[in-house]
Amino acid sequence: QRLDGTRFEIEILATPAAPNCPPDLVGIAFRMAFPLNMTGMPFGSYTVEVNGLRTDFEWSATSTEPIPVENLGLTFAYIGADGNLWIADASGGPPRQLTSDAATQEAGGEVISYTFPKISSDGRFIAVRRDAGVPVAEGLKYQFGLWVYDTETGESRSVHEDPISPPAGFDWKPGTHLLAYGIGSDPNYFIIRGEKPDPNLAMGIYTADLDSGVSSLFVEPQNGYSLIQPAWSPDGRFLSFDELIY
């Protein structure tokens, strides 16, 4: 990673685990995050280029203090500048911090990140993906999780945790406390090259009822493909999802 004025240049170098592995036309989906230390940097426009892919952003603040906003009568959840889960409720009061354990590798020890918060229609429950990495000799060993936070009681509970399969999309059914969610497929799901993935490893759509505490399989795979990215219609009558084909 290099800094030249207002331009960040990042180069990713990768070495295949097996040099004789044949090319894969699809590849493996992944996500990488690059922290940028903006402390003391002047306000203005900046450019980030990663292996030739460019994006621009405006740097306009260094404070992590909540910014007062007009009360619009809405409640929403978000990931703050500190990496933790926050909520701003309809009362118009200051935002509340719901988690305090978000940490980067620079801090040492466990690495915890929160992403994709979704709030129930009545504003009581917040579902969020929580990834926890523990340093090991080879790097980090992760535990992927889907957690739900109760904004009234302050309690939290794990809906799904797995060291291999992270949450693959989740959505609240409108007017209820029913959370539908997908689960990432086993790595061997795509191990068979050919027309289709392994149907024996296909995952369905699950639900967690926060009122009853019951979790169950809601939609079974019908075509031999894993189901991901569930989304409810506004009236809660229909549930859509994707089939993981490639």
Side-chain angles (χ1 to χ4, degrees):
Q1 179 172 305
R2 297 177 295 274
L3 174 62
D4 181 12
T6 61
R7 181 186 184 88
F8 291 89
E9 295 182 358
I10 300 172
E11 185 178 6
I12 304 174
L13 302 178
T15 302
N20 60 346
C21 182
D24 189 318
L25 297 180
V26 178
I28 301 175
F30 65 94
R31 174 180 180 269
M32 300 179 71
F34 299 97
L36 303 178
N37 183 5
M38 302 301 294
T39 304
M41 299 289 282
F43 296 160
S45 300
Y46 286 82
T47 297
V48 178
E49 184 171 308
V50 181
N51 284 29
L53 184 63
R54 171 178 168 172
T55 186
D56 302 303
F57 70 94
E58 292 291 327
W59 175 239
S60 59
T62 57
S63 173
T64 58
E65 293 296 320
I67 300 176
V69 296
E70 179 185 358
N71 177 22
L72 300 178
L74 303 174
T75 297
F76 61 93
Y78 63 97
I79 305 301
D82 58 358
N84 282 296
L85 178 64
W86 290 71
I87 183 174
D89 60 36
S91 68
R96 289 187 290 134
Q97 183 177 349
L98 299 182
T99 67
S100 59
D101 57 352
T104 64
Q105 196 167 10
E106 296 178 351
E110 194 172 25
V111 178
I112 297 177
S113 62
Y114 293 93
T115 50
F116 312 120
K118 285 198 173 183
I119 192 167
S120 60
S121 55
D122 62 356
R124 176 172 178 178
F125 292 104
I126 300 174
V128 66
R129 173 170 167 172
R130 181 183 187 270
D131 295 348
V134 178
V136 294
E138 298 80 11
L140 290 172
K141 181 179 180 181
Y142 271 93
Q143 183 81 355
F144 303 106
L146 174 59
W147 283 69
V148 174
Y149 292 81
D150 189 329
T151 62
E152 292 185 1
T153 66
E155 298 177 346
S156 61
R157 56 163 288 192
S158 171
V159 173
H160 165 77
E161 283 200 85
D162 192 277
I164 298 177
S165 302
F170 46 93
D171 195 24
W172 293 101
K173 183 177 182 179
T176 74
H177 296 151
L178 186 72
L179 179 68
Y181 62 95
I183 298 176
S185 296
D186 185 288
N188 292 323
Y189 178 68
F190 286 114
I191 204 68
I192 300 176
R193 306 304 183 193
E195 292 296 326
K196 295 183 178 181
D198 187 347
N200 297 316
L201 299 177
M203 306 294 292
I205 298 295
Y206 294 80
T207 56
D209 190 329
L210 273 296
D211 293 329
S212 65
V214 175
S215 296
S216 60
L217 176 62
F218 191 65
V219 184
E220 294 187 5
Q222 297 181 16
N223 299 315
Y225 300 120
S226 281
L227 309 181
I228 61 173
Q229 303 294 348
W232 292 99
S233 61
D235 61 0
R237 180 180 177 185
F238 296 99
L239 178 69
S240 67
F241 45 81
D242 293 345
E243 290 183 327
L244 188 58
I245 299 176
Y246 300 114

